[in-house]
Amino acid sequence: MPSLEIDNVKKSYDNFQALKGVSFRAEPGEFVVMVGPSGCGKSTLLRSIAGLETISSGAIRIDGRDIAHDDPSQRGVAMVFQNYALYPHMTVAQNMGFALKMAGRPKAEIDAAVQRAAQILRITEHLEKKPKALSGGQKQRVAIGRAITRSPDVFLFDEPLSNLDAALRSQMRIELGRLHAELKATMVYVTHDQTEAMTMASRIVVLNAGQIEQTGSPLELYNRPTNRFVAGFLGTPRMNFFAGRVVRQTGHSVSVQLPGVDINLELTLEGEGPGVGGEIVLGARPEALGGETGIEIAGTTAVVENLGREALVYVDAGALRTFDSESQEGYVAVHRSFQVESRFGAPTSIRLDASRLYAFGPDGRTIAFPHSL
Amino acid sequence: MSHSSSRMLDRWMSAGMLAPALLLVGVLVLIPSVLAVVGSFYEFGITSQNWVFVGLGNYARAMADPIFWTALKNNIFLIIGSIITQVGLGTLFAALLDRGVRRGNTFYRTMIFMPVIISSIAVAFVWILIFDPNVGPLNAVIKGVGLTPPRLGWLGDPNISLYMLLVIAAWQNVGFQMVLVLAGLQAIPKELYEAAALDGAKGWRAFVHITLPGIRNVLMVGTLICIIGGLKVFDLVFVTTGGGPANATQVIGSYTYLQAFTLGNMGYADALSVILLVVALGFGWLQLTLSRRG
Amino acid sequence: MNGRTRLVAIGMHLILTVWTIFVVAPIGLMLISAFKSQAEIFTKPLSLPGSLNLSAFQRAWNIGIGSFMLNSLLVTVLSVAVIITTSGLAAYVLARSEAKVMKWLYILIIASFAIPVQSVLVPLYQMVSGGHMLNSQLGIVLPYAAFGIPFTTVLFYAFFLEFPRELEEAARLDGCSRLQIFFRIVVPLSGPVVASAAIFQAVFNWNEFLLALMMLTEKSVRTLPVGIYGLTTQYSSDWPAIMAALTIATLPLLILFILAQRHFVRSLAGLGK
Amino acid sequence: MLMMPRMRALVAAATLATLAGGSALAQDAVTIKMWTLDNTGYPEFIAQAAEEFKKTHPNVTIEHQTFPGDPYKTGLQVALVGSDGPDVFFNWSGDDAKRLAKDGLALDLTSYADAPGAFGTTVGSGYLDAFRYDGKLYGVPADAVSKFVFYNTAYFAEHKLEVPKTLAELGTLCKSIRAIDPNTVPMPLGNKTRWKAIHWMTMLNERELGVAGTAPDYDLSRPADALYTDAGYAKAFQDLLDLQDAGCFEEAPNATDYTVADTMFSSQASPMEFCGSWCISGFETAGFTDVGFFRLPVVDGGRGDAGANFLVPEGFQVSAKTAHPQEAVDWLSFLVSDDQAAKFVEYTKFMPSNATKIDTVEGVSPLFKALAADVATFTQGVNVLDVLLDAAVSEAYLNATVEVLNRTMTPDQAVEAIRKVALEVQAKAAS
């Protein structure tokens, strides 16, 4: 299995820099998921790897060979498109065998490759149908099958599941995982859905505004995000952010005052703090606010999302409001591992435990992690 | 394959794919247009080799030529008239066929569309016969029911003949507009009507609030076709009235032909052509901006 | 069905029927007149022919309606083929290329769409004459093509803009060259727009009069409209023969249309999109 | 800027020539390309003549092309300017032929005319004069068309009607016919294409002013202050209106096709028609033989000449660009030679310019022979207005006549409108 190396790739259109020097390396057989908000450059990067875009500078290497200026069909990559991109005038078998046909391979070889791919994807009985006669999930399988037939060095997926409904999507996630295990191929997968990233990736690349924010395994990124962007991007619901001010600093230890509520929290910084009087952002994942320890802050229930066994409660914590969060009003999201009777205005509380908080400096870098991590 | 050579190849391929169309349009449409513009600054005949430069003289002459204004007015009359009759009736019939009548739709549609495929020369000949004041069936019918037909004839009375041209044009083109609109109507999802019915809009109000907005683009295309047809109209006038009586039904197309080929004023005819060109480009520009907005 | 809706339905049928009669009557007149004598046409305008006289058809045929039709067919098929091919290729490049010059080329093509034939009649005639192509099929096919290309290009351009780009990208990855993408992926999927454009241009070129009048003066190459117009000679017109000629010229198209009207209308509907 | 006009033609020709990628092949044999109108019998006549001509000129091939009436003039003019035009072509005498001579597109045939056997020796000088400009000969007259009032002899006999001697009597005759049956149109006009009434005006002008009286107005040689001021012109229009008031014409003559008018007479629905000598074949086709004719009558107090009648010579011109002028003239001379002129009558039923053997022609009706005999007695030929006049004046005359018949202009207004255009053209010619 070959490796894929992206080396300082830049791409600009007229006045807009879509990729500002991106580098990462996918080891052989790795399943790399690129995530980021829309417009972050993840699709541009994927399309550049495929050869559908020409990069302005940098190198794209497969097994050490720079393919950045090769013809798309010569790069040894196959791509699965968001809208399947099946040729409507060809049968499933023709769709899957088209690339080999264009490459001038003998018919027997094409048939064998198509058969093998169809078996892997369990679409053998659909081979003679036109794409129009297939369901969304079947179409997606054919699109994947078309990629498999080519036995490429690298598989590229461009948000392949976004057109499927929720149930089908989770099923396909599992199938793709199985496929990856079976083919042991190097795969690059683009999505804006962080659940897909978390569940499928062996490594996640978080892109933002044309730059890589962080790469690492899903748990690495979830537990130790290097900056506020990554911390906020991964995890549902998102991390709660509170804006605070440093009131005291001794060595790596600071006291932070949060607005409205008169509490001081002692944090242990990993690097330099912002200094006394400096702004600091505290981050708390919803599950970190529902514990038994820490400072209790009273509030009222605003919204309850009951998930059955557990619940997500949005708490109106008075003056302690989150910013940059999913709920506009600044309610604090708290995860409770038990059922909650939903009642608007019912009194409740959250607990801020300094050992379970993240802290971010004014430049967004993470300066403190929860103690357990 | 290196980066630059593949790009060059692509460029050559693009140029090669564009070339045939551009060559044809360039040589046979654009170069003659430029030549017409050049010619409009001169006075010369078809057979005359003696070109006299007159600057904007031909344009000044057009501005002072009452027949030019009549012709332009007639073009505009035909454009507006055909939009009203053709797009209007086409929409009406399409609406009736789409949601009104339940039986005989195919029959009606086939019949109404039929004249579209008949050559306009053929159409003109048949209508000349129909409109003939002495032996035509129309007058026979009119007299048969005790009415008096127009004294100067349907195509001979300057007050009537333009309307008759509209009738002939409508006869031929309503079917086309109808099919255009019908396609637009059938593209409107049925759920929209159901939703509108729930909101209390039915019949006429559903037509105004659902149907018309839904076929807006189609109506624009139909209107554009009428405009272009009304600007370019020639055959119909040339064969039925010849621009007469006494230039009353002259349009720019036929008047250009008259000036160029009957009277031999090629420079003046070129100037008329250029004016028509400018008007046509104006409408084209209008259409472009309108469609961009839409 | 209550009384009022029935009344409305009858009214709708009435409107359609009146127009249908209005449409059919002239065609019927043409048909009937072809069987009459010249005197019958003019003295008994509303009556049926006295006898089933086929001599007008014979005269019309002898004048060469058959060869006019063949010429029309040849000219139409050739010009439509040229229009579809060249416009398709050009529109595809225009719709896909991001170069600035393409935008200007497209505007140029839209502009030439607005140029009426009459505006360039004289220089055009001189060019065709200078190219020794008067009275040749090529001499009329090329101008027809040139004047058909802008509209068709605009039509195709709109279609290609909406054409799913991912299909083409998939084909690129599958190893297609630009030309292969066009012919193996885009063309097979352009059926409806090609049919619409072809029908529109075919009807237009089949019936075109002005250019044909100027360029095809020789009898052996005349197309139908000019051929029929030529039936009115300097000093006399044989009306039954004209009507017979019109009937001969029109009937095959009408029958073809009625047989294929479902497809015909459907593909024409593509124009509205 | 001075380069532009020439460049326009060059650019036009060069671009397409390149596009076509072709050039003419040199040929040993001579091909004469001939363009004519599409009149009945013409193609057959030319075909047999070409065959005959081969006997004396084995290397010459005649390539004959025919055209419908209206586009002919246009196509011809543009073709002559271009490089693909005919070597010899049909044309009307008058303004059309003159313009081509003036613009250097028609060959001066003077030096060829009087060679032994050439057309100058076989065609009468009256015909030749119709194609003479500035003393030079620019065409080979082949035939002429004339115009008469044809009438239904059986109808006249049945109702005891008499051939009128004056225009007033013609009006009275119309009234008598209307008295017999008000629905009978005495003499349909059919002026939809405008030339029928202009033929009337041609003759009415002659009847009022005489050929000599109209000539200086027609050729614009009269001083500007006197141009078209003769009261006779308005009077001629009034004569037409008087006939219309007398019920001679059909309803809405300006909307009636000439073929309708012709058919009304040949189908015997109308007893009279002012029609060309070419109409005879139409009568024959309709099986209508009870036809007599008379010249359009003179008017009381008019300056016209009863011996003068409508006569428009037609013929052939040679392109100034032809590569084979001698062969072209030989061919045309052959067409108007005694034998071929007789054949011409046989095929086309047109009045030949060379009537030497007309009596030997078979298959020609007595009516045609009588007509030919009458033409021979004309003291003066009257050329038709729309052929004779400058194109712009002609156009004005055509429209004025339409308006007079429609009663949207009085005769005086009509003459004024014509005079205005005539003055413009005269002033332009002078500058």
Side-chain angles (χ1 to χ4, degrees):
Chain A
M1 278 302 122
S3 64
L4 170 71
E5 193 183 348
I6 308 296
D7 187 0
N8 197 23
V9 165
K10 291 180 182 166
K11 163 84 184 172
S12 43
Y13 306 96
D14 300 331
N15 305 323
F16 172 67
Q17 224 182 339
L19 296 174
K20 300 169 184 164
V22 173
S23 303
F24 74 85
R25 186 180 153 83
E27 297 305 331
E30 247 192 328
F31 195 117
V32 177
V33 175
M34 297 198 283
V35 283
S38 53
C40 69
K42 57 188 189 299
S43 276
T44 306
L45 183 54
L46 191 78
R47 293 165 55 79
S48 298
I49 299 170
L52 298 173
E53 308 267 359
T54 37
I55 58 176
S56 309
S57 69
I60 299 170
R61 296 188 195 92
I62 291 181
D63 250 2
R65 184 172 62 94
D66 187 0
I67 52 142
H69 305 300
D70 284 2
D71 192 75
S73 61
Q74 307 297 316
R75 294 186 176 200
V77 299
M79 184 153 160
V80 176
F81 292 85
Q82 183 175 6
N83 297 319
Y84 325 126
L86 300 178
Y87 310 124
H89 58 302
M90 299 183 193
T91 63
V92 167
Q94 283 167 339
N95 260 290
M96 288 167 61
F98 188 62
L100 297 182
K101 188 176 167 193
M102 292 310 294
R105 301 288 175 73
K107 194 172 177 309
E109 185 191 329
I110 299 175
D111 287 346
V114 169
Q115 280 298 336
R116 191 180 66 96
Q119 269 160 21
I120 294 174
L121 292 162
R122 296 189 287 257
I123 49 173
T124 311
E125 73 266 32
H126 302 306
L127 278 178
E128 292 315 310
K129 287 184 188 161
K130 289 271 175 71
K132 204 168 56 179
L134 302 178
S135 70
Q138 288 166 336
K139 281 182 194 163
Q140 194 52 271
R141 278 166 212 261
V142 176
I144 295 165
R146 179 165 67 178
I148 294 174
T149 317
R150 297 185 53 188
S151 21
D153 295 334
V154 177
F155 282 83
L156 306 174
F157 295 89
D158 187 8
E159 309 214 16
L161 306 185
S162 58
N163 280 3
L164 302 178
D165 63 50
L168 208 51
R169 204 179 306 168
S170 66
Q171 187 196 332
M172 284 302 290
R173 280 208 301 264
I174 296 165
E175 285 220 28
L176 278 173
R178 178 181 64 87
L179 192 72
H180 179 237
E182 205 171 316
L183 295 174
K184 296 189 182 61
T186 313
M187 295 182 172
V188 180
Y189 187 107
V190 158
T191 182
H192 65 271
D193 178 349
Q194 48 100 6
T195 317
E196 275 176 30
M198 293 297 288
T199 52
M200 295 164 73
S202 46
R203 192 134 61 95
I204 294 178
V205 176
V206 180
L207 273 166
N208 183 31
Q211 277 172 315
I212 292 182
E213 295 281 353
Q214 193 177 0
T215 65
S217 74
L219 283 182
E220 234 173 270
L221 262 56
Y222 187 79
N223 291 334
R224 295 190 65 84
T226 53
N227 56 45
R228 211 179 87 205
F229 178 82
V230 176
F233 193 78
L234 294 177
T236 355
R238 292 161 57 102
M239 186 181 279
N240 297 293
F241 291 115
F242 306 103
R245 194 168 294 278
V246 175
V247 289
R248 193 155 28 84
Q249 176 160 12
T250 28
H252 286 301
S253 170
V254 289
S255 285
V256 176
Q257 171 139 49
L258 292 174
V261 280
D262 198 17
I263 47 169
N264 282 319
L265 284 165
E266 285 281 331
L267 289 171
T268 311
L269 298 185
E270 305 237 313
E272 294 293 310
V276 175
E279 287 174 4
I280 191 166
V281 172
L282 300 186
R285 294 214 182 269
E287 60 265 33
L289 294 173
E292 299 294 320
T293 53
I295 304 159
E296 186 170 15
I297 297 163
T300 56
T301 306
V303 180
V304 176
E305 284 180 9
N306 253 316
L307 303 171
R309 188 162 35 79
E310 53 198 4
L312 209 56
V313 181
Y314 290 91
V315 176
D316 183 349
L320 184 68
R321 314 191 79 78
T322 64
F323 68 95
D324 190 20
S325 74
E326 273 164 41
S327 63
Q328 296 292 316
E329 287 79 6
Y331 299 141
V332 183
V334 185
H335 181 259
R336 309 256 191 232
S337 52
F338 46 84
Q339 298 186 341
V340 176
E341 193 72 33
S342 73
R343 192 150 59 82
F344 178 78
T348 183
S349 67
I350 57 172
R351 279 183 182 268
L352 278 179
D353 183 343
S355 70
R356 301 181 73 176
L357 296 180
Y358 296 84
F360 306 95
D363 58 354
R365 255 178 335 104
T366 315
I367 49 177
F369 292 97
H371 291 170
S372 58
L373 300 169
Chain B
M1 198 185 292
S2 87
H3 173 54
S4 58
S5 84
S6 111
R7 205 174 220 188
M8 280 300 284
L9 188 80
D10 207 47
R11 227 175 248 175
W12 279 111
M13 187 100 75
S14 298
M17 289 166 80
L18 272 171
L22 288 183
L23 196 69
L24 278 168
V25 173
V27 170
L28 292 166
V29 181
L30 297 177
I31 290 181
S33 304
V34 173
L35 296 179
V37 174
V38 171
S40 71
F41 298 121
Y42 290 84
E43 206 163 77
F44 63 105
I46 312 181
T47 53
S48 164
Q49 313 295 309
N50 180 24
W51 287 50
V52 182
F53 183 76
V54 293
L56 291 172
N58 286 321
Y59 293 95
R61 182 174 163 191
M63 295 303 118
D65 181 352
I67 303 173
F68 162 73
W69 290 109
T70 306
L72 193 65
K73 204 188 74 207
N74 287 345
N75 273 107
I76 291 169
F77 175 87
L78 288 177
I79 289 171
I80 295 172
S82 57
I83 291 172
I84 294 171
T85 52
Q86 293 170 24
V87 179
L89 287 174
T91 308
L92 172 70
F93 297 153
L96 292 184
L97 289 183
D98 186 46
R99 304 182 56 78
V101 300
R102 265 163 235 176
R103 266 177 297 172
N105 300 38
T106 308
F107 171 78
Y108 287 129
R109 194 186 59 191
T110 309
M111 289 298 138
I112 294 175
F113 189 80
M114 211 158 56
V116 174
I117 55 173
I118 301 179
S119 123
S120 49
I121 292 300
V123 169
F125 273 117
V126 176
W127 283 97
I128 287 175
L129 193 59
I130 291 172
F131 283 141
D132 188 279
N134 291 278
V135 301
L138 179 62
N139 271 11
V141 170
I142 297 256
K143 284 179 190 164
V145 298
L147 295 171
T148 315
R151 180 178 69 89
L152 299 176
W154 298 99
L155 293 172
D157 187 329
N159 298 318
I160 300 178
S161 47
L162 265 185
Y163 290 93
M164 293 304 114
L165 292 182
L166 269 188
V167 169
I168 301 175
W171 180 82
Q172 182 160 35
N173 297 323
V174 160
F176 186 85
Q177 297 284 347
M178 178 191 73
V179 167
L180 214 59
V181 176
L182 205 51
L185 288 177
Q186 280 159 1
I188 298 176
K190 293 279 170 275
E191 297 83 42
L192 272 184
Y193 290 103
E194 289 159 8
L198 289 177
D199 291 340
K202 276 175 141 180
W204 177 248
R205 288 171 63 190
F207 183 79
V208 170
H209 293 291
I210 308 290
T211 314
L212 277 185
I215 55 172
R216 183 178 165 275
N217 278 338
V218 166
L219 292 181
M220 292 254 296
V221 171
T223 305
L224 182 70
I225 287 173
C226 282
I227 291 173
I228 291 167
L231 284 176
K232 292 185 177 178
V233 60
F234 172 78
D235 311 10
L236 185 64
V237 173
F238 184 69
V239 179
T240 52
T241 68
N247 295 317
T249 56
Q250 212 70 262
V251 289
I252 297 287
S254 59
Y255 191 50
T256 305
Y257 188 89
L258 175 84
Q259 284 293 346
F261 299 121
T262 307
L263 302 181
N265 298 321
M266 300 303 274
Y268 186 44
D270 273 339
L272 293 175
S273 304
V274 172
I275 293 173
L276 182 63
L277 196 84
V278 170
V279 174
L281 286 178
F283 274 115
W285 175 81
L286 196 71
Q287 145 77 9
L288 204 67
T289 46
L290 279 182
S291 71
R292 233 181 240 154
R293 201 171 297 160
Chain C
M1 197 187 275
N2 63 34
R4 188 163 168 269
T5 43
R6 172 165 292 174
L7 216 62
V8 169
I10 290 174
M12 287 174 168
H13 275 285
L14 204 67
I15 294 173
L16 290 167
T17 307
V18 164
W19 189 266
T20 304
I21 292 171
F22 171 66
V23 160
V24 173
I27 298 174
L29 181 78
M30 171 182 87
L31 206 67
I32 290 169
S33 302
F35 292 98
K36 290 179 164 180
S37 69
Q38 180 112 335
E40 270 184 306
I41 289 181
F42 292 148
T43 51
K44 298 172 196 149
L46 291 177
S47 74
L48 288 172
S51 62
L52 216 60
N53 187 349
L54 287 171
S55 68
F57 284 93
Q58 196 176 356
R59 290 203 299 283
W61 189 258
N62 288 343
I63 283 157
I65 287 295
S67 85
F68 298 157
M69 287 179 78
L70 273 181
N71 287 332
S72 275
L73 195 68
L74 184 71
V75 163
T76 304
V77 168
L78 274 179
S79 61
V80 169
V82 173
I83 289 172
I84 297 293
T85 320
T86 56
S87 307
L89 288 167
Y92 182 66
V93 172
L94 290 175
R96 284 298 173 265
S97 174
E98 272 143 25
K100 270 232 174 72
V101 64
M102 296 298 176
K103 202 177 156 192
W104 286 108
L105 283 179
Y106 183 63
I107 288 175
L108 195 71
I109 287 200
I110 290 189
S112 47
F113 174 36
I115 296 177
V117 185
Q118 300 103 307
S119 293
V120 300
L121 196 57
V122 178
L124 191 62
Y125 188 97
Q126 286 172 339
M127 292 174 79
V128 173
S129 162
H132 299 283
M133 291 199 283
L134 279 185
N135 286 316
S136 79
Q137 269 89 6
L138 201 62
I140 196 89
V141 165
L142 292 181
Y144 278 2
F147 278 89
I149 285 171
F151 178 71
T152 312
T153 303
V154 171
L155 203 65
F156 280 173
Y157 182 84
F159 176 81
F160 291 150
L161 276 191
E162 284 177 24
F163 191 89
R165 230 169 262 223
E166 288 179 335
L167 282 186
E168 295 168 49
E169 291 173 341
R172 264 183 90 185
L173 289 174
D174 280 345
C176 287
S177 74
R178 195 157 193 170
L179 219 53
Q180 280 173 322
I181 293 176
F182 183 70
F183 282 110
R184 304 193 78 131
I185 308 297
V186 179
V187 169
L189 295 172
S190 308
V193 72
V194 167
S196 304
I199 287 172
F200 192 80
Q201 292 299 336
V203 169
F204 187 78
N205 290 349
W206 178 268
N207 292 333
E208 203 282 336
F209 178 61
L210 182 58
L211 280 180
L213 183 74
M214 300 298 304
M215 311 279 183
L216 304 177
T217 43
E218 198 184 322
K219 200 167 177 181
S220 62
V221 291
R222 269 179 223 165
T223 53
L224 262 179
V226 188
I228 291 169
Y229 184 71
L231 288 177
T232 63
T233 56
Q234 189 187 3
Y235 298 125
S236 68
S237 295
D238 183 348
W239 279 92
I242 290 175
M243 291 298 147
L246 297 183
T247 305
I248 297 174
T250 307
L251 226 48
L253 272 188
L254 282 188
I255 291 170
L256 202 71
F257 165 68
I258 288 171
L259 289 180
Q261 58 94 12
R262 207 169 284 271
H263 306 281
F264 195 89
V265 167
R266 189 182 304 150
S267 49
L268 203 61
L271 280 178
K273 283 173 191 156
Chain D
M1 250 355 228
L2 265 174
M3 285 289 289
M4 285 313 257
R6 225 162 295 150
M7 264 180 62
R8 172 166 141 145
L10 274 177
V11 169
T15 25
L16 250 214
T18 323
L19 203 68
S23 64
L25 282 169
Q27 286 169 324
D28 293 325
V30 172
T31 301
I32 300 289
K33 201 196 279 182
M34 181 178 201
W35 284 19
T36 74
L37 281 176
D38 204 0
N39 291 332
T40 320
Y42 245 94
E44 294 79 4
F45 165 67
I46 299 290
Q48 67 79 30
E51 197 72 15
E52 232 11 69
F53 189 62
K54 262 229 162 1
K55 289 179 184 161
T56 52
H57 295 74
N59 64 324
V60 179
T61 310
I62 306 297
E63 198 186 307
H64 181 215
Q65 300 176 356
T66 63
F67 304 89
D70 205 72
Y72 180 74
K73 281 187 196 177
T74 314
L76 179 67
Q77 293 178 43
V78 190
L80 289 174
V81 176
S83 48
D84 207 23
D87 298 291
V88 300
F89 51 90
F90 167 86
N91 210 348
W92 296 267
S93 62
D95 194 53
D96 293 297
K98 188 172 159 188
R99 200 187 311 163
L100 295 185
K102 208 174 67 194
D103 292 335
L105 294 170
L107 192 67
D108 174 8
L109 305 178
T110 321
S111 58
Y112 301 91
D114 296 323
F119 67 93
T121 63
T122 51
V123 176
S125 66
Y127 279 101
L128 289 176
D129 287 344
F131 279 99
R132 217 185 281 280
Y133 310 105
D134 297 334
K136 292 178 196 156
L137 207 47
Y138 284 100
V140 178
D143 67 288
V145 292
S146 184
K147 228 169 165 171
F148 296 90
V149 180
F150 292 93
Y151 66 99
N152 188 327
T153 50
Y155 182 91
F156 270 50
E158 186 192 339
H159 298 287
K160 302 195 169 50
L161 300 172
E162 292 200 354
V163 170
K165 302 276 189 305
T166 65
L167 206 66
E169 282 182 35
L170 180 62
T172 317
L173 182 61
C174 290
K175 284 181 188 156
S176 319
I177 292 166
R178 288 284 187 184
I180 297 162
D181 176 2
N183 286 326
T184 302
V185 177
M187 47 188 327
L189 190 56
N191 195 43
K192 185 161 179 297
T193 38
R194 301 189 299 177
W195 53 266
K196 275 272 192 177
I198 212 69
H199 290 182
W200 275 90
M201 293 319 299
T202 300
M203 280 313 294
L204 291 174
N205 280 353
E206 192 282 333
R207 293 307 187 228
E208 289 291 351
L209 292 93
V211 171
T214 56
D217 291 313
Y218 286 178
D219 66 12
L220 302 174
S221 61
R222 215 189 273 284
D225 55 352
L227 197 64
Y228 282 102
T229 50
D230 196 307
Y233 290 109
K235 184 98 193 331
F237 276 125
Q238 189 56 50
D239 290 337
L240 189 69
L241 288 183
D242 289 345
L243 291 174
Q244 194 180 29
D245 287 337
C248 289
F249 307 138
E250 75 279 23
E251 286 177 47
N254 287 321
T256 306
D257 201 76
Y258 63 90
T259 58
V260 171
D262 291 354
T263 308
M264 284 166 85
F265 178 66
S266 61
S267 65
Q268 309 190 37
S270 293
M272 288 192 287
E273 191 193 6
F274 186 48
C275 207
S277 46
W278 61 84
C279 293
I280 296 177
S281 60
F283 308 153
E284 288 173 7
T285 314
F288 177 37
T289 51
D290 299 330
V291 185
F293 65 91
F294 55 88
R295 298 179 194 172
L296 193 74
V298 291
V299 294
D300 288 322
R303 283 163 272 162
D305 169 12
N309 200 10
F310 191 104
L311 193 71
V312 184
E314 304 174 334
F316 302 104
Q317 291 188 290
V318 179
S319 166
K321 291 182 177 168
T322 181
H324 315 287
Q326 188 59 54
E327 284 85 351
V329 176
D330 285 353
W331 162 242
L332 295 181
S333 292
F334 177 72
L335 286 182
V336 296
S337 65
D338 298 355
D339 289 337
Q340 285 302 319
K343 289 251 196 250
F344 175 70
V345 176
E346 203 177 306
Y347 279 96
T348 64
K349 309 287 188 315
F350 273 55
M351 303 286 166
S353 59
N354 176 0
T356 317
K357 292 194 173 174
I358 194 162
D359 292 332
T360 68
V361 179
E362 286 174 27
V364 174
S365 67
L367 180 63
F368 181 85
K369 286 191 176 165
L371 222 59
D374 193 77
V375 170
T377 68
F378 289 178
T379 55
Q380 240 177 337
V382 182
N383 203 339
V384 65
L385 274 180
D386 63 338
V387 170
L388 205 56
L389 300 186
D390 170 271
V393 184
S394 160
E395 179 69 17
Y397 224 117
L398 287 162
N399 283 338
T401 311
V402 167
E403 297 228 45
V404 166
L405 276 169
N406 274 355
R407 312 285 168 136
T408 46
M409 262 189 190
T410 66
D412 287 331
Q413 288 169 337
V415 175
E416 193 45 48
I418 295 159
R419 176 176 144 78
K420 193 172 151 245
V421 177
L423 285 173
E424 280 168 16
V425 174
Q426 192 185 44
K428 191 169 232 172
S431 68

